[in-house]
């Protein structure tokens, strides 16, 4: 259980943004992030929009070429074209928007069968068909719907098609990028349960990216928190909710709208002032210092190291010992 | 209590090529002075159409086909667009979900807020308007209002844009503010700021708020009374504590059960509501929730349940509250407000 399936070391992903007519500036979407995902676990990745959580997921699958850093899968590096091709058989993705991530001109069976076509994983039409029906059954889709088009389905069912496509290659690792945020609450619970069940049946490992802390808390074994391209905290799911250490995580956990009026009204919230700075001019030192109630000069001077504070609990803050 | 808004048997439909979509099918409720009422429901439940009907902002083929909407005792259904324009903004104002698209990108934000003042009071001079806008910006806590009012919407972040929208809605001190998913597009920490702001402004100005959302967490925070909508109907109406602690409608129960509990990890499975929402072109003959309801009886499939009253201000549109409902397997057995 403690074996690492995916390991990320000092991952950096910069995008060049044009400022003015002739000059460009790097946007540091992900800046020096290191973490590992254990075999069979779900690592939740939370943060606000623009913090780089989606970029981490995409770079991990080499959908973007990383600017710097290493990605290891099953202990082996992934960087050459051949390695990436092999890697993508074992690592797939479920996207956020079930409306735009399915080709409207393809039937459900072609959408689910496309990964099989690309990797040539069948010897006959019949074998392909059998595999597609098996996958549809696995995600609770009616096999009679194989020749329909995506627009004939509701949001929840479309997300099931997306999940069936991700499962087509028998992957061991799936990056789930906000897979339930476009769905209604009652449908969301159906899909979350399905993720849970598939993990149990197939021994899958997930990187579950979401902004909804209630959902992430439910599905994850461990949770990582990102802010402005940096990872600020990583710990067990219950630990990070009950004993957050980083001031940003503390405010994030206190800001979760709780579906209980008595808690919601009694809640002592840590409301942050201000907005997230633009990643184009991120503050010097700790990226959170402009909104942090405890910031001092040391925070402006250097970026705090992301280190293990207590067993399995990582955080990046200069004042971690003072605050906890 | 004085009713600011009184809606009776409101019915709104959209005519589409595949038939009449009955988005709202007879909705009655009221909003008291100084009260915040939440309307909760999933997409397609009719919650947004209800609010647009109150504002008379239905576009395209949408039409109010029956019922009445009374604001401060005055009937709004059937008013001319001109009469309605003088009410909108002054007596009832609205904040929309998406602050990114609700502002004109070509006009400085100060002018857009000033336009609201100008359209209701032409006697104000430009300088007076600017002064009022600065006051409003201060009220919604936009820093450096004197310089920010000359900025364009793209120079603002999402949270700041929503503050501009709130400033605009508050410009003429409306009696009722309709907020349609005002924080859905925002991040948690920004959502928190906006909810806190709305709460303090409501206290200061004593206005009523109608809060439309799908997020029960937001409702728990802000509202004193909740209407739960499904299939174009109000299924349950109760005060905030009863909705969460003593829900009487199976849909409300299912909705609450399907939210992940922050204190539970994944060893405990969520309880989703099986199935999917009804097709509103051909709404079911009986209770719209019956096909998904774990407690549905034969009558539920054939006859729409009436609204049953269960204690003070607590209403539920469900046959389980009928006097002759079966007691075996009835989830309401022995509960407060349920019939013996």
């Amino acid at each position: 259980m403690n074996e690492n399936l995916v390991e990320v070391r000092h991952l950096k992903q910069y995008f060049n943004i044009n400022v003015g007519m002739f000059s460009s500036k790097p946007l540091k979407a992900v800046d020096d992030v290191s973490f590992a995902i254990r075999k069979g676990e779900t690592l939740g990745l939370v943060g606000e929009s623009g913090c780089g959580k989606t970029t981490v997921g995409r770079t991990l699958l080499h959908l973007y070429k990383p600017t710097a850093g290493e990605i290891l899968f099953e202990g082996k590096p992934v960087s050459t074209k051949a390695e990436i091709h092999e890697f993508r058989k074992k690592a797939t993705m479920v996207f956020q928007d079930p409306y735009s991530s399915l080709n409207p001109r393809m039937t459900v069976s072609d959408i689910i069968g496309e990964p099989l076509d690309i990797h040539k994983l069948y010897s006959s039409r019949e074998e392909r068909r059998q595999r597609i029906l098996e996958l549809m059954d696995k995600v609770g889709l009616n096999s009679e719907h194989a020749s329909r088009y995506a627009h004939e389905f509701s949001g929840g069912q479309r997300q099931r098609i997306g999940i069936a496509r991700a499962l087509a290659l028998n992957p061991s690792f799936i990056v789930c990028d906000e897979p339930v945020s476009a769905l209604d609450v009652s449908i969301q619970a159906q899909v979350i349960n399905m993720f849970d069940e598939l993990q149990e049946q197939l021994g899958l490992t997930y990187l579950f990216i979401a902004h909804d802390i209630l959902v992430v808390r439910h599905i994850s074994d461990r949770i990582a928190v990102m802010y402005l391209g940096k990872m600020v905290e990583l710990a067990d799911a219950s630990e990070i909710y009950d004993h957050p250490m980083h001031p940003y995580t503390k405010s994030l956990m206190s800001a979760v709208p709780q579906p209980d009026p008595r808690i919601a009204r009694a809640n002592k919230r840590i409301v942050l002032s201000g907005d997230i700075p633009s990643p184009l001019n991120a503050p010097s030192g700790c990226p959170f210092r402009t909104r942090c109630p405890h910031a001092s000069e040391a925070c402006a001077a250097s970026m705090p190291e992301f280190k293990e504070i207590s067993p399995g609990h990582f955080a990046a803050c200069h004042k971690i010992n003072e605050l906890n | 209590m004085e009713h600011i808004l009184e809606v009776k048997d409101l019915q709104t439909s959209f005519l589409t090529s595949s038939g009449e979509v009955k988005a709202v099918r007879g909705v009655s409720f009221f909003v008291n002075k100084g009260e915040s009422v939440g309307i909760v429901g999933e997409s397609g439940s009719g919650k947004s159409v209800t609010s647009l009907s109150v504002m008379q902002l239905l576009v395209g083929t949408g039409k109010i086909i029956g019922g009445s909407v009374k604001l401060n005792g005055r009937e709004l259904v059937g008013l001319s667009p001109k009469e309605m324009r003088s009410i909108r903004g002054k007596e009832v104002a609205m904040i929309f979900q998406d602050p990114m698209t609700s502002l004109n990108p070509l006009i400085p934000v100060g002018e857009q807020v000033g336009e609201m003042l100008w359209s209701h009071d032409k006697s104000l001079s430009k300088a007076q308007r600017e002064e009022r806008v600065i006051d409003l910006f201060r009220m919604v806590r936009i820093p450096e209002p004197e310089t920010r009012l000359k900025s364009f919407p793209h120079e603002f972040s999402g949270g700041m844009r929503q503050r501009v929208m709130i400033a605009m809605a508050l410009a003429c001190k409306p009696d009722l503010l309709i907020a349609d998913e005002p924080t859905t597009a925002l991040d948690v920490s920004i959502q928190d700021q906006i909810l806190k702001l709305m709460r303090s402004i409501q206290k200061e100005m004593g206005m009523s708020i109608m809060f439309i959302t799908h997020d029960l967490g937001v409702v728990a925070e802000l509202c004193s009374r909740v209407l739960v909508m499904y299939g174009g109907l109000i299924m349950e109406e109760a005060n905030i504590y009863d909705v969460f602690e003593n829900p009487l409608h199976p849909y409300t129960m299912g909705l609450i059960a399907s939210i992940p509990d922050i204190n539970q990890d994944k060893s405990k499975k969520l309880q989703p509501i099986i199935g999917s929402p009804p097709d509103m072109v051909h709404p079911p003959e009986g209770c719209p929730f019956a096909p998904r309801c774990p407690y549905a009886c034969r009558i539920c499939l054939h006859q729409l349940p009436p609204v049953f009253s269960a204690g003070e201000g607590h209403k539920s549109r469900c046959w389980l509250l009928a006097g002759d409902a079966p007691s075996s397997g009835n989830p309401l057995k022995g509960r407060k407000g349920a019939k013996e």
Side-chain angles (χ1 to χ4, degrees):
Chain A
M1 188 69 183
N2 267 336
E3 199 185 326
N4 288 340
L5 184 71
V6 180
E7 221 180 314
V8 174
R9 289 186 195 150
H10 304 290
L11 185 70
K12 288 182 186 173
Q13 180 68 60
Y14 298 173
F15 297 105
N16 277 325
I17 302 291
N18 292 330
V19 284
M21 195 134 26
F22 301 110
S23 55
S24 69
K25 206 173 167 182
L27 185 149
K28 299 181 178 177
V30 176
D31 198 11
D32 202 358
V33 164
S34 304
F35 62 93
I37 307 174
R38 297 172 191 151
K39 207 166 193 155
E41 80 165 348
T42 303
L43 178 71
L45 186 55
V46 293
E48 299 179 88
S49 43
C51 73
K53 55 188 192 301
T54 295
T55 310
V56 166
R58 295 193 168 185
T59 310
L60 210 58
L61 292 185
H62 277 273
L63 292 178
Y64 302 133
K65 191 177 181 316
T67 310
E70 255 187 310
I71 296 163
L72 282 88
F73 187 75
E74 291 174 332
K76 287 189 277 287
V78 179
S79 61
T80 64
K81 214 166 176 187
E83 280 165 358
I84 292 170
H85 189 78
E86 268 316 291
F87 170 58
R88 290 234 182 100
K89 276 192 208 169
K90 294 177 199 144
T92 56
M93 188 153 183
V94 176
F95 297 90
Q96 171 169 12
D97 185 353
Y99 294 86
S100 61
S101 61
L102 302 177
N103 188 336
R105 290 172 179 245
M106 282 164 82
T107 61
V108 170
S109 70
D110 283 339
I111 289 171
I112 299 173
E114 199 179 13
L116 302 172
D117 301 341
I118 291 170
H119 291 277
K120 302 186 183 64
L121 289 183
Y122 51 86
S123 49
S124 65
R125 298 296 299 173
E126 182 52 28
E127 195 185 331
R128 178 178 186 267
R129 206 181 72 89
Q130 276 308 324
R131 177 77 186 129
I132 289 167
L133 293 183
E134 197 183 297
L135 285 163
M136 288 182 73
D137 182 55
K138 210 173 256 170
V139 297
L141 286 169
N142 193 334
S143 58
E144 288 160 25
H145 297 166
S147 54
R148 292 198 183 177
Y149 290 88
H151 71 91
E152 297 174 68
F153 294 88
S154 65
Q157 284 175 310
R158 280 183 215 216
Q159 203 52 295
R160 286 171 197 264
I161 300 172
I163 295 168
R165 174 175 61 185
L167 292 174
L169 301 171
N170 275 329
S172 48
F173 176 55
I174 302 183
V175 174
C176 313
D177 186 7
E178 304 253 15
V180 296
S181 56
L183 307 176
D184 275 317
V185 197
S186 70
I187 308 294
Q188 187 176 303
Q190 295 175 6
V191 176
I192 292 173
N193 277 354
M194 199 174 66
F195 273 114
D196 276 346
E197 281 154 22
L198 290 171
Q199 183 167 44
E200 274 165 36
Q201 283 170 21
L202 308 171
L204 295 168
T205 304
Y206 295 137
L207 175 66
F208 200 94
I209 302 165
H211 66 275
D212 185 337
I213 289 157
L214 289 176
V215 169
V216 173
R217 166 77 181 89
H218 175 83
I219 202 161
S220 309
D221 299 299
R222 293 191 301 151
I223 295 177
V225 182
M226 282 187 75
Y227 187 81
L228 221 61
K230 304 262 189 200
M231 198 165 273
V232 296
E233 190 159 0
L234 171 70
D236 278 349
S238 56
E239 170 82 3
I240 212 161
Y241 179 70
D242 295 333
H243 309 287
M245 284 188 168
H246 195 282
Y248 176 63
T249 318
K250 284 184 184 182
S251 82
L252 201 63
M253 295 300 158
S254 81
V256 179
Q258 297 241 25
D260 181 329
R262 290 186 208 275
I263 297 176
R265 270 143 224 239
N267 200 354
K268 285 231 178 311
R269 304 181 149 232
I270 310 164
V271 177
L272 292 175
S273 57
D275 283 312
I276 309 174
S278 155
L280 265 179
N281 355 286
S284 65
C286 172
F288 184 56
R289 70 176 169 87
T290 52
R291 298 172 82 194
C292 180
H294 313 288
S296 69
E297 277 166 34
C299 304
S302 66
M303 172 64 203
E305 195 191 339
F306 186 67
K307 56 179 186 234
E308 196 161 8
I309 310 291
S310 61
H313 197 144
F314 297 81
C317 177
H318 283 306
K319 301 204 153 179
I320 205 91
N321 294 324
E322 275 171 59
L323 294 174
N324 293 289
Chain B
M1 269 291 203
E2 196 187 331
H3 293 181
I4 288 278
L5 177 74
E6 208 171 346
V7 175
K8 278 223 171 91
D9 198 29
L10 177 74
Q11 293 162 47
T12 305
S13 287
F14 291 83
L15 296 168
T16 66
S17 54
S18 51
E20 180 188 351
V21 179
K22 300 179 180 105
V24 175
R25 303 193 287 154
V27 157
S28 306
F29 65 94
F30 60 89
V31 179
N32 285 325
K33 198 170 162 46
E35 187 187 29
S36 50
V37 175
I39 301 188
V40 188
E42 298 180 82
S43 31
S45 63
K47 57 188 193 306
S48 284
V49 177
T50 302
S51 68
L52 291 173
S53 304
V54 170
M55 288 294 279
Q56 314 261 329
L57 282 175
L58 294 164
V59 285
T61 59
K63 210 169 169 240
I64 297 178
I65 54 171
S68 108
V69 176
K70 276 192 178 140
L71 184 71
N72 286 325
R74 183 173 174 197
E75 178 62 54
L76 299 187
V77 176
L79 282 189
S80 70
K82 199 179 163 198
E83 287 170 308
M84 204 48 224
R85 266 206 300 278
S86 70
I87 291 174
R88 250 185 250 129
K90 204 162 191 177
E91 292 178 42
V92 53
M94 190 160 179
I95 310 172
F96 297 91
Q97 172 170 0
D98 190 355
M100 311 293 166
T101 53
S102 312
L103 291 166
N104 187 329
L106 300 176
I107 301 175
V109 289
E111 245 173 75
Q112 299 192 45
V113 178
E115 190 186 1
M116 182 79 151
L117 293 163
W118 176 82
S119 59
H120 288 284
D121 187 356
K122 307 269 194 298
S123 68
L124 287 173
S125 72
K126 200 171 174 214
Q128 281 173 316
R129 280 208 306 269
E130 207 169 285
E131 211 171 290
R132 285 283 312 278
V133 173
I134 291 172
D135 283 346
L136 284 163
F137 276 20
R138 259 198 207 109
M139 190 169 184
V140 296
R141 292 161 190 98
I142 295 177
E144 301 165 45
E146 292 84 357
T147 49
R148 290 302 261 166
L149 93 172
K150 297 200 175 63
S151 307
F152 288 90
H154 74 264
E155 298 172 81
F156 283 84
S157 66
M160 282 295 153
R161 278 182 234 192
Q162 199 57 287
R163 282 166 202 260
V164 173
M165 291 299 296
I166 296 174
M168 198 185 285
L170 297 177
C172 299
K173 301 197 172 68
D175 302 314
L176 174 67
L177 178 68
I178 301 179
D180 189 356
E181 307 252 12
T183 59
T184 309
L186 305 175
D187 282 314
V188 199
S189 73
I190 310 296
Q191 163 171 297
D192 216 25
Q193 294 173 2
I194 297 289
L195 291 179
K196 196 178 158 209
L197 175 74
M198 289 184 69
R199 216 175 322 158
S200 69
I201 287 174
Q202 186 191 18
K203 251 186 210 153
E204 272 168 51
M205 299 181 50
M207 71 186 165
S208 314
I209 297 183
M210 199 169 122
F211 206 96
I212 290 137
T213 179
H214 67 276
D215 189 339
L216 281 165
V218 171
V219 166
E221 202 129 308
L222 205 76
C223 301
S224 52
R225 205 150 53 83
V226 182
L227 312 170
V228 181
M229 283 192 76
Y230 188 82
L233 294 165
I234 294 177
M235 300 315 252
E236 183 158 6
E237 175 184 341
N239 73 47
I240 185 78
Y241 297 106
D242 279 345
V243 161
F244 287 95
E245 289 159 14
N246 186 31
L248 293 179
H249 198 285
Y251 176 61
T252 318
M253 296 178 206
L255 211 53
I256 291 170
S258 49
I259 307 172
D261 182 345
I262 193 88
N263 297 312
Q264 288 286 350
D265 57 20
K266 65 174 168 188
S267 59
K268 192 169 174 263
K269 283 259 175 324
L270 297 176
Q271 298 164 27
I273 304 177
I274 47 156
S276 43
D279 169 10
M280 297 313 287
V281 180
H282 307 287
E285 185 188 349
C287 170
F289 187 58
R292 301 176 78 187
C293 180
Y295 311 108
C297 309
R298 209 177 313 140
I299 189 169
C300 304
L301 297 167
H302 299 295
Q303 204 177 337
L304 185 66
V307 177
F308 291 97
S309 183
E312 200 184 332
H314 198 160
K315 292 175 192 161
S316 169
R317 193 185 267 279
C318 177
W319 284 115
L320 288 175
L321 280 114
D324 54 356
S327 62
S328 69
N330 189 329
L332 305 181
K333 213 167 138 188
R335 289 266 289 277
K336 190 180 105 193
K339 292 257 162 50
E340 288 309 313

